[in-house]
Amino acid sequence: MSRTRTALLAAMALVAGATGTAFAVDPGGAEVAAVPCAVDYKIQNQWSTGFTAAVTVTNNSAAKSSWSLKWSYAGNQKVTSGWNAKLSQSGASVTAANESYNAQLATGGSVSFGFQGSYSGSNAIPATFTLDGVTCNVDSGGPGGPTDPPDPGGPANRVNNPYDGAKVYVNPEWSAKAAAEPGGSRIANQPTGVWLDRIAAINGAGGKMGLRAHLDEALRQKGSGELVVQLVIYNLPGRDCAALASNGELKADEIDRYRTEYIDPIKAILADSKYSSLRIVTTVEIDSLPNLVTNTGSRPTATPQCDVMKANGNYIKGVGYALNKLGDVPNVYNYVDAGHHGWIGWDDNFAPSATLFKEAASAEGATVNDVHGFITNTANYSALKEDNFSISDNVAGKSVRESKWVDWNRYVDELSFAQAFRNQLVSVGFPSGIGMLIDTSRNGWGGTARPSGPGAQTSVDTYVDGGRYDRRINPGNWCNQSGAGLGERPQAGPAAGIDAYVWMKPPGESDGASKEIPNDEGKGFDGMCDPAYKGNPRNGNNPSGALADAPLSGHWFSAQFRQLMQNAYPPLS
């Protein structure tokens, strides 16, 4: 996937006049009219008969309440499907018009959409684009296309996708636990994330390997090739304000300890030149920022703890500080946790979450260039791709969105959500080349309960419930889910806009204890981990669907691991 940025006017600063007309100031101080719009057209993936492309349109003229972008192909390219725009084609001419949710295009604002197409012969990039009839400046890229200089603030030697052409670190501690289970040797060599979930984990807690020990082992595994090490940065003050099972050691106001005792020591180790040949991928603070959107204020899902974290700003400050400091290390690739489709896929959450992420990426000295991408579904169970129904289906006079399961969400699976959310993030100011990771460690939903086709069309609910792979009682259920299975194995570049499928959450590690267990790790008891719990507004007041007899979060849960293998999809051989 190309990671280039649009150069609207080389060596010129863009200034918007009071009338909405954009001007550029050249080095000599003379004002010249700027291009009214710019189009960034990237071919992300291409094969012998088809391709996927991402398009970002920047409006430098007066604000628009609707928009339409047009271009023509020189060859026989055909648009076959798309997202985030209404795409139509007549002969060689293509039109992309706004959806209702992205119709507004401010002066200086951008909007992104993508599509899949077919072709034979050559696949030349269109030479001309018009936005509402006005010709735009074009910056094109992709296979064989031009690239811009590195973005300011980002080290020049990072690769586009750290997973391309690289092995991924196998944690020997997790591997040994997996191999000790009956049949576990089938997956014991899979790469998983290393969780730095408290200060003591940096040097090694409870006899476990510390960060340096993992990095030293990574160098051994690396040999002469490339290797990715996956770290989970997970110790914000007031951590997991809406899920007590994974609360942390730092109190809500201990942002200074987070900076000096947690992030600074991690950075010092990662910056050691001894480890400069490793590609270090960080997942930055799972289950943090989306809480500030969905679980605060007057929302029925609000909690007092999340209101505190929104008021004191320490989630924003902590994430910004981590991105800033870790982003200074040239071989570190920061991926920010972006929840999952069953959390922020609704219209009320989707755009506000992207805006909040931009705020965090601009805090504490960080910039959007400190973010290499985002990760979704970390430690969750959302199905990767629902094949038996789609958001556009209608059954018995009702849209799939009206079903109890979908509940007006705009997304039904993780892949469609991650691809669309990537475009939304670009539209608020993140670089157009950001990539997404999807955690597939526990979203396979195979086994005997996996539907083989669509549900009965007697009602929209029977249709969705009978065909969905995700067998949870409610998509808000997140703790040790009964019936879950291993998902797609870790792999690089599996789909448009996706840098990799990963197992950031090590399968077999508990989400939380099913009853209260005294501990020195700061972890509380959450009813969502109790199989007898009847639910709360965050899961529609449904039963929790959790497995019984679970240990503390992060501790080995043998029964869960065995079930994940049993229900793996693709199945284990």
Side-chain angles (χ1 to χ4, degrees), residues 342-366:
W343 188 356
I344 58 174
W346 283 271
D347 293 345
D348 288 349
N349 303 338
F350 191 79
S353 293
T355 300
L356 186 72
F357 296 165
K358 172 72 178 302
E359 181 183 350
S362 306
E364 299 281 310

Side-chain angles (χ1 to χ4, degrees), residues 80-164:
T80 56
S81 63
W83 48 92
N84 282 353
K86 297 173 182 174
L87 288 138
S88 59
Q89 184 168 357
S90 176
S93 300
V94 180
T95 299
N98 63 272
E99 296 280 8
S100 59
Y101 55 85
N102 62 3
Q104 302 294 322
L105 189 52
T107 303
S110 298
V111 64
S112 298
F113 61 91
F115 62 90
Q116 183 166 313
S118 64
Y119 77 102
S120 62
S122 64
N123 185 22
I125 291 169
T128 304
F129 293 82
T130 61
L131 180 63
D132 297 333
V134 178
T135 302
C136 300
N137 186 45
V138 180
D139 177 32
S140 57
T147 59
D148 296 322
D151 290 317
N157 59 341
R158 289 195 181 102
V159 296
N160 288 340
N161 179 355
Y163 291 86
D164 276 348

